[in-house]
Amino acid sequence: MSALSNQAAYLFEKNATPLQVRSAPYTSPGPDEIVIRTHAVAVNPVDHIIQDSSLIYGHLKYPAILGFDVSGEVVDVGKNVTRFRQGDRVVGSAPATDEKINSPAYGGFQLYTVLLSHMASPLPDTLSYEEASVIPLGLDTAACGLFQKDQLALQYPSVPTAKSTGKTLLVWGGSTSVGCNAIQIAVAAGYEVITTCSPRNFDLVKSLGAVQAFDYNSSTVVSDIKNAFKGRTTAGAMSIGHGAAHKCLDILAACKGDKALTMVSYPMPESTPKHFVVLQTVFTYLTGMISLWIKAKRHGIRTGLINGYTLIHNEVGPMIYQDYLPKALAENKFVPAPKAEVVGHGLEHAQKAMEILREGVSAKKVVITL
Ligand SMILES: NC(=O)c1ccc[n+]([C@@H]2O[C@H](COP(=O)([O-])OP(=O)(O)OC[C@H]3O[C@@H](n4cnc5c(N)ncnc54)[C@H](OP(=O)(O)O)[C@@H]3O)[C@@H](O)[C@H]2O)c1
């Protein structure tokens, strides 16, 4: 295909604000890749965390292109790709900042994004690009935590829903983007889910399949959840949100069943100041990890930190994007959640979208259209 005229919102160097919209090279797909004309991009906390922090993503090459969650129309396919053809509508995970890929061609904040074909799913006509764009990183992270062998190693999801395992999973932070996905794929895998969120989001998490929801701000939340687990067998827990891991450990320690915790949020300061106070942050992280490790050891609980990218390079990525998601979307057995809120059209709105997310959201995903 002849080169198409591309544009991107670039992060030219660490801590550079705002992103700069410039012309960008068009990159043809490799043998197992596709290129999409990106139509919607959802923003994730990691977008502004990378922009703000000089401590993480040290491997990243600059200029970089952020944007992890994309949907759009296939314009070019690599020679080995049989699942997609030009004109297909897809949703996929944009892996530009993955350590092994580390290339701006794969970033979402551009008109033409290269995707790995095994990390993309066809979209049914019933879903708009905006609606679908909320899926990838939340789903990826949830799937890494629930299904990877080094995390909870749960049974895989299926359509129709797998036979009940008789076990119950705790998802702390069910109204987050990761949590909304975790609830749905855990239920599809045959697990019952108990979750936490603010009371305003109880109906949402129950509509996604959770059997009970608890207010994580309640002073009795840990004992309330321990009571809820009486007579149940746990499949482990996923902790999302500040302070969640310690509380999940306290609950797992009192439960019958699998003693395993997969941690989505790291013990870091709750907000990420523009110029990270390096020593303070390292200290917070190390002391947080050590105290978690001691508590986990004391109660015989296995713990793991998630990197939401690892499924790209193992069997979980294709299981989700090839085997599960296309069928689940087509049969309306999986809904994109939380809902998209479109905050602008055009790459120049990428920075604004990141600022809106940085201020905090409740059960919604900030999206731009392109
Ligand atoms: N390790 C990884 O690879 C990875 C990947 C993706 C995300 N993350 C991290 O996971 C976290 C969630 O990301 P996201 O994109 O899913 O977030 P998000 O959707 O932007 O999070 C917003 C939600 O957070 C909930 N929340 C706020 N404080 C909480 C707490 N203390 N406990 C539980 N829930 C809380 C709010 O719930 P209510 O409105 O109901 O109060 C709100 O709905 C972030 O810390 C993010 O950095 C890590």
Side-chain angles (χ1 to χ4, degrees):
M1 149 156 316
S2 61
L4 292 158
S5 171
N6 193 15
Q7 278 208 318
Y10 277 109
L11 178 66
F12 274 105
E13 56 187 1
K14 281 178 190 167
N15 303 126
T17 308
L19 301 177
Q20 303 286 329
V21 178
R22 296 279 189 277
S23 63
Y26 172 85
T27 306
S28 297
D32 299 301
E33 297 173 344
I34 58 176
V35 177
I36 64 163
R37 170 60 172 86
T38 311
H39 284 305
V41 191
V43 180
N44 286 282
V46 68
D47 287 307
H48 63 77
I49 290 172
I50 292 175
Q51 188 177 38
D52 292 348
S53 164
S54 45
L55 268 185
I56 58 164
Y57 284 77
H59 63 270
L60 200 57
K61 282 191 206 141
Y62 292 90
I65 300 178
L66 303 175
F68 295 72
D69 293 351
V70 292
S71 57
E73 183 184 335
V74 176
V75 295
D76 204 353
V77 297
K79 67 178 171 52
N80 297 341
V81 175
T82 54
R83 290 176 62 226
F84 298 107
R85 56 183 180 195
Q86 272 185 30
D88 283 352
R89 303 169 74 250
V90 298
V91 60
S93 203
T97 62
D98 173 69
E99 204 157 354
K100 290 186 186 152
I101 295 172
N102 205 2
S103 160
Y106 300 79
F109 288 147
Q110 62 188 319
L111 299 184
Y112 294 96
T113 302
V114 182
L115 299 179
L116 308 172
S117 67
H118 74 274
M119 292 297 293
S121 165
L123 268 189
D125 291 340
T126 46
L127 281 180
S128 69
Y129 288 127
E130 295 91 311
E131 286 171 309
S133 67
V134 308
I135 297 172
L137 189 61
L139 177 62
D140 295 357
T141 309
C144 289
L146 299 188
F147 306 121
Q148 279 185 191
K149 301 282 176 278
D150 60 339
Q151 299 291 332
L152 297 188
L154 300 188
Q155 165 179 300
Y156 287 172
S158 61
V159 182
T161 296
K163 193 167 155 281
S164 170
T165 58
K167 291 185 175 178
T168 306
L169 176 77
L170 172 62
V171 176
W172 190 287
S175 64
T176 63
S177 175
V178 178
C180 287
N181 285 281
I183 293 169
Q184 293 191 78
I185 55 178
V187 170
Y191 297 87
E192 188 182 58
V193 174
I194 288 178
T195 193
T196 72
C197 59
S198 290
R200 61 178 172 247
N201 291 320
F202 281 178
D203 287 346
L204 167 71
V205 295
K206 288 180 182 167
S207 75
L208 299 173
V211 289
Q212 282 188 61
F214 294 86
D215 179 0
Y216 61 81
N217 281 317
S218 158
S219 58
T220 58
V221 63
V222 170
S223 57
D224 292 344
I225 297 177
K226 281 182 189 170
N227 281 334
F229 267 96
K230 281 189 182 143
R232 289 181 152 112
T233 304
T234 171
M238 168 173 274
S239 61
I240 314 162
H242 191 69
H246 272 289
K247 290 176 180 145
C248 288
L249 288 178
D250 290 339
I251 293 164
L252 285 175
C255 286
K256 188 178 74 163
D258 299 328
K259 304 270 182 192
L261 171 67
T262 184
M263 297 184 283
V264 174
S265 302
Y266 294 13
M268 300 284 257
E270 201 156 0
S271 63
T272 40
K274 268 226 153 352
H275 299 292
F276 244 30
V277 183
V278 176
L279 272 179
Q280 187 197 338
T281 305
V282 171
F283 180 78
T284 308
Y285 176 73
L286 286 179
T287 51
M289 286 310 295
I290 290 166
S291 73
L292 280 171
W293 184 80
I294 292 170
K295 190 184 270 191
K297 279 274 162 218
R298 202 170 63 225
H299 296 295
I301 300 169
R302 188 167 58 80
T303 59
L305 278 171
I306 300 173
N307 170 348
Y309 269 148
T310 40
L311 80 170
I312 295 175
H313 308 291
N314 64 39
E315 66 288 351
V316 176
M319 180 277 287
I320 289 290
Y321 282 93
Q322 293 178 185
D323 304 340
Y324 170 71
L325 191 61
K327 197 159 186 242
L329 287 175
E331 295 186 19
N332 205 19
K333 299 285 191 238
F334 176 96
V335 294
K339 280 204 183 326
E341 180 168 295
V342 178
V343 299
H345 179 74
L347 288 165
E348 56 282 5
H349 293 281
Q351 185 68 53
K352 181 177 85 182
M354 287 162 62
E355 304 303 337
I356 292 169
L357 182 62
R358 196 200 311 264
E359 292 304 310
V361 295
S362 176
K364 72 177 157 191
K365 197 95 181 166
V366 181
V367 170
I368 60 167
T369 53
L370 302 178

